[in-house]
Structures are given as structure tokens and as C-alpha cells.
Amino acid sequence: MSCLRQENQIWIDMNILVTGANGQLGSEMRLVASRSADKYVFSDVVDLPGVDTLILDITDIDAIRKVVRDHDIKAVVNCAAYTNVDKAEDDVALCTLLNAKAPENLAIAMKEADGLLVHVSTDYVFGGDPYNTPCTEDRKGTPTGVYGQTKLDGELAIQASGCRHIIIRTAWLYSEFGKNFVKTMLGLTATKPQLNVVFDQTGTPTYALDLAETIFDILENRKWEGNDGIYHYSNEGVCSWYDFTKMIAEYAGNDTCRILPCHSDEFPSKVIRPSYSVLDKTKIKKTFGISVPYWTDSLKKCINNLK
Ligand SMILES: NC(=O)c1ccc[n+]([C@@H]2O[C@H](COP(=O)([O-])OP(=O)(O)OC[C@H]3O[C@@H](n4cnc5c(N)ncnc54)[C@H](OP(=O)(O)O)[C@@H]3O)[C@@H](O)[C@H]2O)c1
């Protein structure tokens, strides 16, 4: 079936596969994609009660090929990943399989189908060099841990595959769905009398719904043509995890918890997190003509949605 989407241009509706569709970003993709004339197929490695999910393990290339063939998939949005940054340090093999090999599988399948891969990566590809200005896409990746390194390897594998691709690095993702920093801090600031939160790591939070809207806009309006490459997307602004927590507590009305700034070395961890991983979003805004909400506005929206 074809339909007219833009003056003088006829676009054919297409079938789009979303992987990791029961995670934070995948769940937001489900919400925004309900507005589309395209057919979205939502997949994950496990079922979620009450949610329509095609079971697909993206570490299995034959399984991917079968889904692509059976559903005539022309684009994949990869929201699946190994996202536990601390655990990754001890789980190198699985983290590598999911963050480096699986994206390569998807890229090969899309190359074979002459389709598009939209892949999501991370600000944690940076951090090893002491940057203090927002990171542009062409800045050399210097990961500080296994998670960041495997995500960088995934990007390189996609680029090497020769498939059409849009790689979007994002940061500090939160959503109404799944486990995340906002939900954890909503609980802690409601129940604890005092909380120490690091102020020596600087970045930008990203409401997964805002990122999902951006991915949807690129796909829905066929904006990817001729625009292969890496892009950065987070919300606007800059903060530390301490500032982030202060705003979470304020918007939730949790005013009994004393929130104090502390240093990262007060929380012993196997992984060194980037001290500065702010993403420069100039390229994505210019290329796709999008506007990006300010981080506190989006945080307020998410907390209201959670209420
Ligand atoms: N979370 C962040 O703060 C953050 C920051 C920067 C970038 N990112 C990137 O943003 C993207 C989305 O992150 P997210 O927070 O939405 O992730 P998430 O909530 O952890 O969701 C990932 C989903 O992938 C699924 N999955 C795991 N193994 C799979 C497999 N073999 N095949 C298919 N699906 C599998 C997971 O299932 P299980 O839950 O059952 O494992 C989960 O449903 C990722 O690429 C991540 O690296 C995230």
C-alpha cells in the first residue's frame, strides 16, 4: 500500500522492526509509533505480560534473518542492549555479544535486505580524555569501561558492514518504564532523611520519550535518505547527578530528604564513569530540523506522567 506523505513525493508504507521493545526506549517507541501508517513489529528476548511481543534474540543472526524475511522488514530500530554499566565489568563476554556482535548481526541483515538500521549508542563512548566542552560526533571515542568500549565496538561494526545506518548516541536515559535513576531517586528522596549524590560527573539527562519522538520523526518523514552517520541526542542543558536528584525531589514534592553533593570516590565501583560526557547536538538538530526540550521541562513531564 502506498500513501502520499509530502507534496510531490509518494512514499511506500514500510515494515519496521523494533528490538528490545520492552525496555525503556522500546516502550516509548511503542507509544509514539501508534500514530504511524507504517507497520511496526515489536520484539524482545522475553515476553511482558499484557504486551504484544515477538520473541527475537538479536544475538542469533538466523533468527533475525527469518523475522526480516517473514515480516518484510525495511528498517530496524535497535533498542536492545546490555545496559548494566557496573555488571558489565564482570560480564565481558555477554556484554560484547549484545553490544558489539548483535548490532553487527542487525547491520548484516539490513544490508542483505537493503534496509536501514537505526541504532542507539551512548555518551559512555567518551570519558577517557578529560574533555570539558560538549562532545561532537567526530571526537575520538575514549571509553572508560567495558560497557562504553562494547558500545563503541558495536558502532564500528555497523559502519564496517556497509548498511544504511543512523547511530544515535544518547545519555542518562530515563522513562516511566523499566528501572532508571529517576525512579530510584523518587523512591529514595521520599523515604531517606539524607542522601549523598555525586556532583563530579557532568552530563545531560534524556527523557526516552523525547528520543523516541526524534527517531519516529526521522523514520516517519523519511529523513534518513542521504544522512547516514552518527548523531548525538540528549535533552538540552547540563547538570551533575546531584543537580538531577535535586530537581527530581523538587518536582515530586519530596522535601524532607537532605540531598548532599559528594565525590565519585565515595562510592567504590569497579568502573570509572566519565567525569564529563555532555553531547553536542548541533548535527542532529541541523540535519533533521528537530528541536530538543530542556532537561528540567522533560523531567517535569515524566514525573507528572508517573503520577
Ligand atoms: N539506560 C541509559 O541510561 C542509557 C544511556 C545511554 C545510552 N543508552 C542506550 O540506549 C538504548 C536503550 O536503552 P534502555 O535503557 O532503553 O535499555 P533497557 O531498558 O535495558 O532495554 C533493553 C532491552 O533489550 C532487551 N534485551 C536483552 N538482551 C536481548 C537480546 N539478546 N535480544 C533482544 N533483546 C534483548 C532487554 O531485555 P531484558 O531486560 O530481559 O534483559 C530489554 O528489554 C541502549 O542501546 C543503551 O545502550 C542507555
Side-chain angles (χ1 to χ4, degrees):
M1 190 172 71
S2 67
C3 65
L4 193 65
R5 303 281 182 85
Q6 185 175 287
E7 211 179 343
N8 300 330
Q9 192 169 2
I10 292 176
W11 284 320
I12 308 298
D13 292 344
M14 62 179 188
N15 299 341
I16 299 168
L17 174 69
V18 178
T19 61
N22 295 339
Q24 295 192 77
L25 179 60
S27 299
E28 301 287 5
M29 282 302 302
R30 285 180 186 272
L31 290 183
V32 299
S34 62
R35 309 197 300 262
S36 184
D38 291 326
K39 179 172 181 265
Y40 278 79
V41 177
F42 295 99
S43 71
D44 206 303
V45 75
V46 287
D47 242 335
L48 203 60
V51 181
D52 194 14
T53 308
L54 176 81
I55 298 299
L56 174 62
D57 178 349
I58 61 165
T59 65
D60 180 346
I61 191 164
D62 291 330
I64 297 170
R65 284 185 170 123
K66 184 171 183 330
V67 168
V68 168
R69 211 173 35 242
D70 290 355
H71 296 266
D72 190 22
I73 298 295
K74 287 293 174 221
V76 173
V77 181
N78 182 27
C79 303
Y82 188 109
T83 54
N84 189 324
V85 176
D86 287 287
K87 223 171 133 205
E89 296 298 307
D90 294 319
D91 209 359
V92 180
L94 182 58
C95 190
T96 305
L97 185 61
L98 255 172
N99 289 350
K101 183 69 189 149
E104 183 180 37
N105 290 342
L106 294 169
I108 291 168
M110 280 300 90
K111 172 86 178 151
E112 289 167 356
D114 194 21
L116 169 78
L117 175 59
V118 179
H119 175 71
V120 182
S121 191
T122 173
D123 60 326
Y124 279 23
V125 301
F126 300 113
D129 284 351
Y131 300 133
N132 59 8
T133 55
C135 301
T136 51
E137 289 79 356
D138 54 358
R139 194 173 271 182
K140 188 178 176 309
T142 54
T144 57
V146 171
Y147 170 73
Q149 183 62 58
T150 57
K151 292 294 288 185
L152 185 58
D153 293 343
E155 293 180 5
L156 293 170
I158 292 168
Q159 289 170 313
S161 76
C163 84
R164 283 186 282 165
H165 64 270
I166 300 282
I167 296 170
I168 303 180
R169 294 181 182 141
T170 191
W172 300 22
L173 211 58
Y174 66 90
S175 140
E176 297 92 321
F177 303 98
K179 283 187 199 158
N180 55 62
F181 186 81
V182 170
K183 285 177 155 184
T184 302
M185 287 305 172
L186 281 174
L188 291 177
T189 57
T191 52
K192 298 257 181 205
Q194 186 171 309
L195 205 58
N196 292 346
V197 188
V198 299
F199 79 105
D200 57 1
Q201 290 171 30
T202 305
T204 315
T206 308
Y207 185 18
L209 179 61
D210 294 336
L211 175 56
E213 288 284 6
T214 295
I215 294 171
F216 179 69
D217 177 41
I218 293 169
L219 288 170
E220 189 72 0
N221 297 304
R222 306 320 194 227
K223 290 181 177 178
W224 72 81
E225 290 291 354
N227 286 319
D228 273 33
I230 297 182
Y231 297 87
H232 287 172
Y233 185 94
S234 65
N235 282 124
E236 292 287 17
V238 175
C239 68
S240 71
W241 293 106
Y242 164 75
D243 302 304
F244 194 9
T245 307
K246 290 285 283 183
M247 296 315 292
I248 293 166
E250 185 177 323
Y251 292 149
N254 296 344
D255 52 10
T256 57
C257 180
R258 195 160 169 245
I259 303 161
L260 300 171
C262 73
H263 292 98
S264 298
D265 59 13
E266 289 176 50
F267 291 97
S269 164
K270 271 196 165 184
V271 62
I272 298 167
R273 287 181 160 75
S275 61
Y276 186 94
S277 57
V278 176
L279 298 174
D280 187 312
K281 297 169 288 289
T282 307
K283 184 179 171 190
I284 199 165
K285 287 190 282 190
K286 269 195 184 160
T287 307
F288 299 117
I290 56 160
S291 62
V292 179
Y294 185 61
W295 74 272
T296 58
D297 296 336
S298 289
L299 176 62
K300 206 181 287 176
K301 259 189 209 160
C302 180
I303 290 177
N304 283 338
N305 289 344
L306 278 166
K307 283 177 186 164

